[in-house]
Amino acid sequence: KAGVTQTPRYLIKTRGQQVTLSCSPISGHRSVSWYQQTPGQGLQFLFEYFSETQRNKGNFPGRFSGRQFSNSRSEMNVSTLELGDSALYLCASSLDDGRGRGYTFGSGTRLTVV
Amino acid sequence: GENVGLHLPTLSVQEGDNSIINCAYSNSASDYFIWYKQESGKGPQFIIDIRSNMDKRQGQRVTVLLNKTVKHLSLQIAATQPGDSAVYFCAETLTGRRALTFGSGTRLQVQP
């Protein structure tokens, strides 16, 4: 079965711009989570969506937002980009069967802010 | 790559040796733990998981040990191969929290 698909793979943006990243989960997975990975901070949780509802949010400023569509695909948006937003953004999908298992990650979108 | 510049602890082993990667987790209430492998340019890949009601779980060439008393996880890789070279992360969560907390990672280098 197809894995988690993230698009685009690479992005270069200028400070102050905004960006939208996309994630298509594994078929049948209804939970989608987003993580930011940087050399300095490692992997950090951004937010999690299930059935179009945000259920959990990490400690990131309001410039980071997301949404989920009825087909479980998810997008995240970062507005007013800062240099420090340069990172690998990873999406993970899971069954969310109540046991907290089965997080599968995509290959990520590498965002560079210049 | 995403781990370039980050001073990760590095474990260097010879091909065929056994590897042990350690992780200290932070939340004593966490009840589910996962080990991930991340190769350059890729997302984390699931290796093995364990629930807090177990202290050991085995997979193919890998074993995870959980010591809740000292909040410690370890990943043992038997007969390490060059293809095992990657950065390894432990992650913890609490059922219902729906968010993983990752450790800082360990780079495994396998010398042929």
Side-chain angles (χ1 to χ4, degrees), chain A residues 35 39 56 99-100 110, chain B residues 2 6 32 51 97-98 100:
Chain A
Y35 290 79
N56 197 0
R99 301 187 61 195
R110 177 163 299 284
Chain B
E2 51 285 345
L6 177 63
Y32 180 57
R51 293 218 159 261
R97 180 171 176 262
R98 303 181 182 96
L100 296 171

Side-chain angles (χ1 to χ4, degrees), chain A residues 24-89:
Chain A
S24 293
I26 291 172
S27 178
H29 284 196
R30 297 170 65 189
S31 170
V32 174
S33 307
W34 289 88
Y35 290 79
Q36 181 196 64
Q37 186 173 26
T38 60
Q41 300 297 319
L43 281 147
Q44 294 188 295
F45 171 73
L46 280 156
F47 26 67
E48 188 263 358
Y49 288 87
F50 182 85
S51 291
E52 303 177 64
T53 300
Q54 185 183 91
R55 296 193 299 187
N56 197 0
K57 187 177 190 300
N59 188 26
F60 279 82
R63 299 184 298 106
F64 291 81
S65 63
R67 60 178 175 168
Q68 187 181 34
F69 302 94
S70 58
N71 61 358
S72 294
R73 190 177 70 85
S74 177
E75 291 180 346
M76 67 163 283
N77 184 79
V78 188
S79 62
T80 319
L81 284 165
E82 301 177 358
L83 294 179
D85 297 333
S86 295
L88 180 68
Y89 289 90

